[in-house]
Amino acid sequence: MQSHDSQTTKAQLVMAWGFVGIPLLWGVSQTLLNALQLFK
Amino acid sequence: MATQAENWFSRSRTVARPGYSRWMVPPAALCVHLCIGQAYAYSVFNLPMTKLIGITDSAPDDWKLTELGWIFSIAIFFLGVASAVFGRWVEEGGPRKAMFTAACCWAGGFLISAAGIAIHNLWLIYLGYGVLGGIALGIGYISPVSTLIKWFPDRPGMATGMAIMGFGGGAFIASPLSVWLMKQFTTETHIGVMETFIILGVVYFVFMVVGSIIVRVPPDDWKPEGYVAPKANKLISSNNVYVYDALKTPQFWLIWVVLCVNTTAGIGVLGQASAMSQEMFPGQITPIAAAGLVGLMSLFNMGGRFAWATTSDYLGRRNTYFVFMVLGFILYCLVPYMGSIGSVAGFALCFCIIISMYGGGFSTVPAYLRDMFGVRYVGAIHGLLLTAWSAAGIFGPVLVNYIREYNVTHNVPKADAYNTTMYIMAGLFVIGLVCNFFVKAVNERYHMKSDGRAMAAATA
């Protein structure tokens, strides 16, 4: 019963990774856009 | 008498139940590292904070850049102090308590600094962001390291690389977010730094608390499914070394020098890349292009943290540092040549690889310590090792700035003023190479006994 209660679901994993991944990807994309100035 | 809150924070309450996925732990660690990584973007506040009274230009009562520069320096100093002092407490108290403490200190630092801006008292900002924020940096940086290593004994480099990558990536979020927030609260009569600090403090607190809620430590006897411990290897110990006994081993100090060398080489160019690139390539690299180069280097800094640490799981920790030292030596020797032939692409490539190894050095070192000293006190030992970072924070910029200054005042053309520094950096890598060569297995007299106490011989 304990095992069933604490089972990590795929939805929890997606939420946890999305929680940190989305802001990080946004920040990386902003930095990448700035970095492109080097090649202009 | 233990209260309910104390119980919630206790290590025993964070032990994972069956069915908990270890892949929840890296996002928990990233919740903390992405927030404290804001420190790398602190400079976006410098210029606006010199005009808080004058608004369009600095007024006589406005703070000077030199005064504001101390905020970041104090924070980095307290990072080293806190990670060294609180390392054992973090290790024994468990990750939830440490991450929550870091959240309180980090958010508290921002809020106190906001108060400092409201009453225009710089000392309050030194205390808030500098001291309290610095303590949060130290505790937050080391808090998830040993937890990740315990969850990923099969890939410790990759696991710690993911978290420490977040520290590099935090600036990518903080920099545009801070600029955007300041823009929202800035009017013709007011610069919105205080409001930005308050919002950042609240947002970071929420993020870090989420991390402390979802983090778990594995049960003592837990192993990943199908995991087979690596065969007996002189450079991967299955024994633990007590935190303060690690300081008595030559291995700790050899790795300290190796990290210090790698960080000195990276930090020196990271801080001066913009000015250096424009002076070495006058007319070819504009200020905007230089800013782009800095952004590109930051991406390599972050990517290198994950890529190199993951590679070290296959290559071995000592071999990975050999690659850093040899490649670093070659690349630093090549930089003056790239300048002499006017190759911007070659120059950018050299520095991007160097910076990737700078980041890789940080993320690979926890696994290196785990290989040497075992997993029990790896977080605390890692905390002590971070004093190498503080030392490099002084050596790196000093080497680059003062030698350039000396050359310029002695009529060396600006384009060539950095060449001496490049060769000195290359020489530092030779020292690092030698130190890394002498890293061998820790003498067994330093190994902990089963009762958790170091052997008498080691402590005598």
Side-chain angles (χ1 to χ4, degrees):
Chain A
M1 191 177 76
Q2 191 184 53
S3 164
H4 176 75
D5 286 347
S6 57
Q7 187 79 35
T8 306
T9 63
K10 274 186 183 166
Q12 285 174 318
L13 278 171
V14 169
M15 275 171 62
W17 280 97
F19 190 64
V20 291
I22 292 168
L24 182 60
L25 284 176
W26 174 75
V28 168
S29 67
Q30 296 294 310
T31 309
L32 210 53
L33 286 173
N34 288 337
L36 287 176
Q37 299 293 328
L38 181 65
F39 304 103
K40 281 185 179 169
Chain B
M1 193 176 71
T3 65
Q4 226 173 3
E6 279 172 339
N7 286 337
W8 187 78
F9 287 119
S10 70
R11 197 170 209 286
S12 58
R13 280 291 296 272
T14 58
V15 176
R17 292 177 181 178
Y20 178 83
S21 169
R22 62 176 175 163
W23 289 100
M24 289 291 279
V25 183
L30 279 167
C31 279
V32 173
H33 272 239
L34 281 174
C35 293
I36 59 174
Q38 183 276 344
Y40 276 138
Y42 189 79
S43 59
V44 298
F45 294 114
N46 280 343
L47 220 53
M49 284 170 74
T50 59
K51 300 175 189 171
L52 290 171
I53 296 171
I55 311 296
T56 49
D57 285 305
S58 294
D61 285 342
D62 263 320
W63 296 322
K64 313 257 177 313
L65 262 180
T66 45
E67 294 173 313
L68 293 169
W70 280 103
I71 301 170
F72 182 75
S73 301
I74 293 169
I76 294 298
F77 174 77
F78 274 91
L79 181 158
V81 171
S83 59
V85 172
F86 295 114
R88 190 180 154 195
W89 173 78
V90 168
E91 201 63 68
E92 292 174 349
R96 179 174 288 165
K97 197 184 281 182
M99 287 159 92
F100 188 80
T101 306
C104 293
C105 291
W106 193 233
F110 271 101
L111 296 181
I112 290 173
S113 299
I117 291 170
I119 61 168
H120 206 69
N121 186 328
L122 190 55
W123 287 98
L124 217 46
I125 303 176
Y126 289 157
L127 175 73
Y129 194 93
V131 178
L132 208 55
I135 291 170
L137 286 171
I139 295 175
Y141 191 90
I142 61 172
S143 59
V145 167
S146 67
T147 307
L148 281 163
I149 286 177
K150 283 167 193 156
W151 276 114
F152 292 87
D154 45 345
R155 280 175 284 179
M158 180 208 71
T160 54
M162 265 190 281
I164 293 173
M165 173 190 78
F167 193 76
F172 296 155
I173 302 168
S175 183
L177 179 65
S178 306
V179 170
W180 183 80
L181 282 171
M182 279 192 283
K183 206 174 160 187
Q184 303 308 307
F185 293 104
T186 296
T187 63
E188 285 181 0
T189 56
H190 175 77
I191 292 180
V193 179
M194 181 191 73
E195 293 85 350
T196 303
F197 273 15
I198 293 171
I199 291 176
L200 286 180
V202 173
V203 170
Y204 284 146
F205 182 76
V206 172
F207 244 79
M208 292 167 83
V209 168
V210 168
S212 74
I213 291 170
I214 62 176
V215 74
R216 296 285 185 280
V217 293
D220 286 339
D221 54 348
W222 182 86
K223 281 182 177 56
E225 216 173 290
Y227 172 68
V228 181
K231 286 177 188 170
N233 181 338
K234 278 184 181 174
L235 288 173
I236 301 179
S237 174
S238 56
N239 295 292
N240 294 310
V241 176
Y242 182 62
V243 51
Y244 298 122
D245 285 332
L247 290 176
K248 299 171 189 167
T249 66
Q251 286 80 3
F252 177 88
W253 294 106
L254 288 168
I255 296 173
W256 192 97
V257 173
V258 171
L259 181 69
C260 189
V261 161
N262 196 53
T263 309
T264 300
I267 219 166
V269 295
L270 195 62
Q272 301 302 324
S274 175
M276 193 191 297
S277 60
Q278 290 176 71
E279 287 187 345
M280 285 184 78
F281 297 92
Q284 280 182 278
I285 296 187
T286 61
I288 293 173
L293 174 65
V294 174
L296 197 64
M297 285 167 67
S298 304
L299 285 170
F300 272 80
N301 178 13
M302 187 188 82
R305 287 169 191 247
F306 180 68
W308 283 113
T310 305
T311 307
S312 77
D313 286 336
Y314 303 97
L315 210 59
R317 250 57 74 173
R318 196 169 73 142
N319 289 342
T320 305
Y321 274 93
F322 270 133
V323 173
F324 292 165
M325 298 300 127
V326 172
L327 206 54
F329 173 80
I330 294 168
L331 291 170
Y332 264 112
C333 288
L334 273 177
V335 168
Y337 173 71
M338 292 300 171
S340 70
I341 63 168
S343 172
V344 174
F347 172 83
L349 185 68
C350 284
F351 270 1
C352 284
I353 297 173
I354 287 169
I355 290 303
S356 81
M357 296 190 299
Y358 161 77
F362 278 126
S363 57
T364 308
V365 88
Y368 204 171
L369 295 174
R370 174 262 203 187
D371 290 353
M372 288 290 121
F373 304 109
V375 78
R376 179 68 185 90
Y377 281 101
V378 67
I381 298 168
H382 183 218
L384 292 168
L385 194 84
L386 289 182
T387 47
W389 185 0
S390 302
I394 299 167
F395 296 149
V398 165
L399 271 176
V400 173
N401 295 335
Y402 283 84
I403 294 175
R404 175 206 169 271
E405 199 63 30
Y406 178 85
N407 281 337
V408 168
T409 51
H410 285 75
N411 300 321
V412 174
K414 276 187 177 176
D416 301 328
Y418 294 98
N419 291 359
T420 314
T421 309
M422 298 300 121
Y423 293 128
I424 290 174
M425 295 289 192
L428 284 178
F429 277 117
V430 176
I431 296 171
L433 185 72
V434 172
C435 288
N436 194 46
F437 175 79
F438 283 111
V439 174
K440 312 284 180 199
V442 172
N443 191 309
E444 62 181 36
R445 73 194 171 105
Y446 293 108
H447 294 165
M448 285 171 75
K449 280 181 173 176
S450 54
D451 67 353
R453 301 184 72 159
M455 284 181 156
T459 48

